[in-house]
Amino acid sequence: TLFRSRLVFVYPWTQRHFSGFGNLGSIDAILHNPMVASHGGKVVASIGEAVKHMDDVRGHYAKLSKYHSEKLHVDPANFTRFGKVVSLVLGMHYPAEYTPECQAALEKFFDVVADSLGKCYY
């Protein structure tokens, strides 16, 4: 997805988590990398599922938080960065629909997602 590609390109240190994905040396390589696209699809699907669990986003992400913390050692700040990238891309592609109110709601939601995914780090 464009979200994941932009994250990996703008924040190149995140590439260490995707060392088995092949060439990530340029934005074009990242955009056309099937492994990046596949992982991005999983991330977007997971976010869609989180929307269905608005009453317990932390519970929804408990296992994934533990996995990212204990197995992958992902910097929890990357979860916040991803939310910012999503907000930026949506604003670029849907300028009329992406109102300040929409942006505020989405960023609040991504703050909850990032906090939930970072739960096992503290």
Side-chain angles (χ1 to χ4, degrees):
T1 66
L2 185 56
F3 308 126
R4 171 68 55 201
S5 299
R6 185 175 281 267
L7 178 76
V8 172
F9 186 78
V10 173
Y11 305 103
W13 58 87
T14 63
Q15 291 181 17
R16 75 178 184 88
H17 301 292
F18 307 104
S19 60
F21 281 28
N23 180 12
L24 302 175
S26 69
I27 191 65
D28 190 57
I30 296 167
L31 284 169
H32 294 95
N33 185 306
M35 295 178 84
V36 171
S38 176
H39 186 264
K42 290 176 187 176
V43 170
V44 171
S46 174
I47 293 165
E49 284 298 311
V51 170
K52 298 176 186 175
H53 296 90
M54 293 293 280
D55 59 331
D56 188 23
V57 176
R58 276 186 172 234
H60 172 70
Y61 279 124
K63 289 180 185 175
L64 199 57
S65 175
K66 186 173 182 174
Y67 179 71
H68 279 80
S69 170
E70 295 177 5
K71 301 276 187 204
L72 300 177
H73 307 288
V74 173
D75 178 353
N78 289 342
F79 306 129
T80 300
R81 289 181 186 107
F82 182 74
K84 292 181 184 303
V85 168
V86 171
S87 182
L88 173 76
V89 171
L90 289 175
M92 289 169 42
H93 286 276
Y94 304 100
E97 296 88 348
Y98 200 60
T99 64
E101 295 82 8
C102 182
Q103 179 180 358
L106 182 86
E107 289 187 8
K108 285 178 188 177
F109 171 70
F110 270 102
D111 286 346
V112 171
V113 169
D115 182 64
S116 299
L117 284 167
K119 179 178 114 174
C120 286
Y121 290 81
Y122 309 106

